[in-house]
Amino acid sequence: MNSASATALLVIDAQESFRQRPDEWASTANPDAVGNIARLVDHARLVGDPVAWITHSEPGSGGVFDPTLGFVRVFAELDPHDDEIAVTKTTVNAFSSTDLEHRLRELDVTKVVICGIRTEQCCETTARMASDLGFEVEFVTDATTTSAIEASGALSAVSGDEILRRTESILSARGFATVIRTADRVGVAV
């Protein structure tokens, strides 16, 4: 890990908990997200940027995010290394319930690259928080994914693709992040 690096890759909630919801996981808006996350991880390691693995935990919930069930772990195929940053959050964003900001600042990180699961929830919220904390933010939309939101009462359903586009628009137009694609970061077509 390059301690002089100004950029860190934040891999948010790319964890087995989501695969425990097979119907939802099968209909994810971006089935290429995990492959794109792997490309970003490989690139970060190649150029010496720190990689931070963030998982989400809901202790005592009895659900797929309850750590006692064993699903609060990074997808094995992403191969997190023991010397990389690893934090487990209990809030939507990756900063409020962890020491992630402190750990990034110790490494002189000024820019974060965000990818992971739940584009509009944990990924977008982390991007907004990182921006508020003064980090430059790149949001790699094709290395995120989410699921549709079903209609409820008077509210219309929102497709996963609509959520992806909305998140890009909000983050970019409001100045929270620069929205990019995996190829923009790794320098090759994917």
Side-chain angles (χ1 to χ4, degrees):
M1 186 183 312
N2 179 0
S3 63
S5 179
T7 302
L9 177 65
L10 308 186
V11 182
I12 300 170
D13 299 348
Q15 66 189 69
E16 289 298 330
S17 304
F18 288 102
R19 290 185 176 155
Q20 299 310 302
R21 299 173 169 169
D23 292 341
E24 188 177 309
W25 186 248
S27 63
T28 189
N30 179 13
D32 296 328
V34 176
N36 287 337
I37 292 168
R39 288 181 189 89
L40 291 170
V41 170
D42 289 345
H43 176 76
R45 289 173 178 159
L46 180 69
V47 300
D49 290 342
V51 177
W53 301 95
I54 297 106
T55 53
H56 182 80
S57 176
E58 297 172 359
S61 67
V64 296
F65 293 96
D66 189 324
T68 62
L69 297 179
F71 305 122
V72 179
R73 64 181 189 281
V74 174
F75 294 140
E77 68 266 28
L78 293 176
D79 189 29
H81 293 178
D82 290 339
D83 64 341
E84 294 171 329
I85 297 168
V87 297
T88 299
K89 63 186 179 62
T90 56
T91 54
V92 176
N93 79 75
F95 292 100
S96 295
S97 60
T98 71
D99 66 346
L100 180 61
E101 179 186 7
H102 174 75
R103 294 173 81 173
L104 294 174
R105 299 228 187 261
E106 281 185 328
L107 296 172
D108 295 323
V109 169
T110 57
K111 177 194 281 187
V112 294
V113 178
I114 294 178
C115 62
I117 298 180
R118 287 285 189 227
T119 307
E120 80 289 5
Q121 289 182 18
C122 299
C123 296
E124 180 180 342
T125 305
T126 297
R128 289 173 180 241
M129 184 68 155
S131 176
D132 284 351
L133 291 171
F135 291 100
E136 181 182 345
V137 180
E138 287 185 350
F139 193 89
V140 191
T141 309
D142 70 342
T144 72
T145 194
T146 195
S147 299
I149 297 172
E150 300 301 321
S152 175
L155 300 176
S156 301
V158 182
S159 75
D161 287 334
E162 290 171 319
I163 294 168
L164 291 169
R165 299 299 78 80
R166 177 217 153 266
T167 299
E168 288 178 328
S169 296
I170 295 294
L171 289 177
S172 180
R174 300 292 185 246
F176 290 109
T178 301
V179 175
I180 65 171
R181 302 284 180 262
T182 301
D184 299 328
R185 172 117 304 260
V186 303
V188 295
V190 291

